[in-house]
Amino acid sequence: IRRGDGVAQHSHPTQSSGFAALDALLPHGGWPVGAVSELLLPQPGSGELALLLPLLAELTRRGQRVFLLKPPAVPYAPAWLAAGVQLQQLIWLDPHDEREVLWAAEQILREPGNTVLSWFSRAPADRHCRRLQLAAEQGRNLGFLLRPDSGYASSTPFGLRLGLAPVRGGVEVRVLKRRGPPVEAPVVLRRAEDVVVSLNPAAPAARCVRAGATAL
């Protein structure tokens, strides 16, 4: 059975984004669980973390682990804490290169109870994307792949792709790809001032773990 908008009625696990306006555009009303979602950015710090912090706060309150794989700057712990993220559940991994990011993301996504944010300079090869998607399905986890919007036309197998752009006091979100009919108009999400800066090169970090090393 299908609704008139082309989104199937059957149950599909999702997790609310924390923004009602965005949930209304996402298939089944939230981020897809057991899947990798793409976020395309004009540059790091375009509102991607303000977009994700409500979700990450909720997940860490439930005791789930959140892994940050090779973010472009040091996670700013006070801002994450102010946003409600439980820092003991936040793990920062700093692999040497994107090949290691892919390997780490796949291993972590296979294990239940994890959410992964991984940063890339370009879209990974199709076979790598499919491995990440399969790992997320197996672990029933949420994965987010963040990359520059210069790869806007790059085709990947992920079912959800959003384009982000910073606007005054918030972030503009455009649905570039989803299961169901296209969404033409973007939505602007407002963010709280205390979570605007969440990556800072000189800031205190969450736990720093280099791939293959012991937690500090």
Side-chain angles (χ1 to χ4, degrees):
I1 300 174
R2 287 189 173 272
R3 287 169 30 185
D5 64 1
V7 179
Q9 285 276 31
H10 62 76
S11 174
H12 187 92
T14 59
Q15 174 63 48
S16 172
S17 68
F19 297 96
L22 179 57
D23 286 348
L25 300 181
L26 298 177
H28 311 286
W31 297 114
V33 176
V36 176
S37 301
E38 279 185 284
L39 302 181
L40 271 58
L41 320 169
Q43 61 185 20
S46 297
E48 62 273 24
L49 292 181
L51 172 67
L52 293 173
L53 280 171
L55 167 73
L56 304 182
E58 174 62 24
L59 294 176
T60 58
R61 279 194 293 267
R62 294 186 200 164
Q64 293 195 31
R65 296 174 296 274
V66 171
F67 289 81
L68 311 177
L69 302 188
K70 209 168 184 61
V74 176
Y76 183 52
W80 291 75
L81 188 61
V85 175
Q86 306 299 302
L87 295 185
Q88 67 272 22
Q89 300 301 113
L90 185 64
I91 302 172
W92 169 31
L93 294 170
D94 188 24
H96 292 287
D97 54 37
E98 293 187 359
R99 181 181 56 82
E100 288 190 357
V101 174
L102 285 165
W103 181 88
E106 183 179 346
Q107 308 314 308
I108 296 166
L109 285 170
R110 289 187 191 281
E111 295 295 325
N114 297 325
T115 294
V116 175
L117 281 63
S118 52
W119 280 261
F120 291 88
S121 61
R122 61 185 182 277
D126 187 75
R127 68 182 185 279
H128 296 309
C129 292
R130 294 188 184 280
R131 290 178 67 93
L132 292 179
Q133 176 62 31
L134 180 59
E137 291 174 5
Q138 291 176 342
R140 307 304 296 163
N141 287 321
L142 288 152
F144 294 93
L145 190 152
L146 299 92
R147 63 183 179 92
D149 61 8
S150 56
Y152 186 97
S154 301
S155 175
T156 60
F158 304 127
L160 180 64
R161 181 188 300 159
L162 305 181
L164 309 186
V167 296
R168 185 175 181 83
V171 57
E172 179 185 271
V173 181
R174 184 175 293 276
V175 180
L176 303 175
K177 177 184 177 183
R178 69 167 191 168
R179 291 185 172 91
V183 178
E184 301 298 337
V187 61
V188 174
L189 307 177
R190 300 299 172 185
R191 60 190 178 188
E193 290 302 318
D194 60 352
V195 300
V196 169
V197 180
S198 46
L199 286 174
N200 186 323
R207 283 191 290 162
C208 175
V209 185
R210 189 171 286 277
T214 340
L216 300 178

